[in-house]
């Protein structure tokens, strides 16, 4: 059974930082592109960052150098370091694992990030 378990969300003041973690169970981690998406109320889910199986990294345009994605294949984990947080970064952040060749796409349950003074 595939499970993606996120942690690290919380409430932070503008300009603050958080580190999100996602542990993947039930998949061969190195076969999957791993990523983080976010969804705010009333808005569509959008890509924050992802890492492809060959190590390419992509960020959403709004990131503007504030966030960093990384992974640890030995631990089956992917991380998202959030810095310079803005109120508009408030959203539920979801971990994603996808293997397009086999039409496999998995989601975690989400972790809430709230940026507020």
């Amino acid at each position: 059974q595939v499970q993606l378990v996120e942690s690290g969300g919380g409430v932070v003041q503008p300009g603050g930082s958080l580190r999100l973690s996602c542990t993947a169970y039930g998949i061969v981690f190195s076969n999957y592109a791993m990523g983080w998406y976010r969804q705010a109320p009333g808005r569509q889910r959008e890509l924050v960052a992802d890492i492809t199986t060959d190590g390419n990294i992509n960020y959403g345009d709004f990131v503007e150098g504030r966030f960093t994605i990384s992974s640890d294949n030995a631990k089956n984990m992917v991380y998202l370091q959030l810095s310079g947080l803005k109120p508009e970064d408030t959203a539920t952040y979801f971990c994603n694992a996808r293997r397009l060749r086999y039409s496999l796409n998995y989601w975690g349950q989400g972790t809430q990030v709230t940026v507020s003074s």
Side-chain angles (χ1 to χ4, degrees):
Q1 182 180 358
V2 177
Q3 266 193 307
L4 302 178
V5 181
E6 302 106 331
S7 62
V11 180
V12 63
Q13 291 186 341
S17 299
L18 285 172
R19 188 193 195 205
L20 308 184
S21 299
C22 171
T23 305
Y25 300 95
I27 62 172
V28 178
F29 191 80
S30 58
N31 287 344
Y32 284 75
M34 299 299 299
W36 290 93
Y37 289 71
R38 71 183 188 182
Q39 188 168 19
R43 301 192 65 175
Q44 288 190 332
R45 193 169 295 191
E46 59 183 351
L47 173 70
V48 180
D50 67 6
I51 301 178
T52 65
T53 54
D54 55 4
N56 290 324
I57 292 177
N58 304 290
Y59 290 101
D61 290 341
F62 58 87
V63 171
E64 299 175 328
R66 300 179 297 127
F67 303 165
T68 303
I69 189 171
S70 60
S71 64
D72 186 334
N73 283 6
K75 295 182 178 180
N76 279 19
M77 294 188 72
V78 60
Y79 308 95
L80 186 67
Q81 178 67 46
L82 307 171
S83 302
L85 283 162
K86 306 174 182 179
E88 52 264 42
D89 294 317
T90 295
T92 301
Y93 285 69
F94 296 90
C95 181
N96 174 261
R98 71 180 188 279
R99 196 176 182 191
L100 292 178
R101 181 178 180 182
Y102 297 96
S103 300
L104 298 173
N105 194 37
Y106 302 106
W107 295 95
Q109 81 286 353
T111 186
Q112 179 67 34
V113 172
T114 301
V115 185
S116 174
S117 55

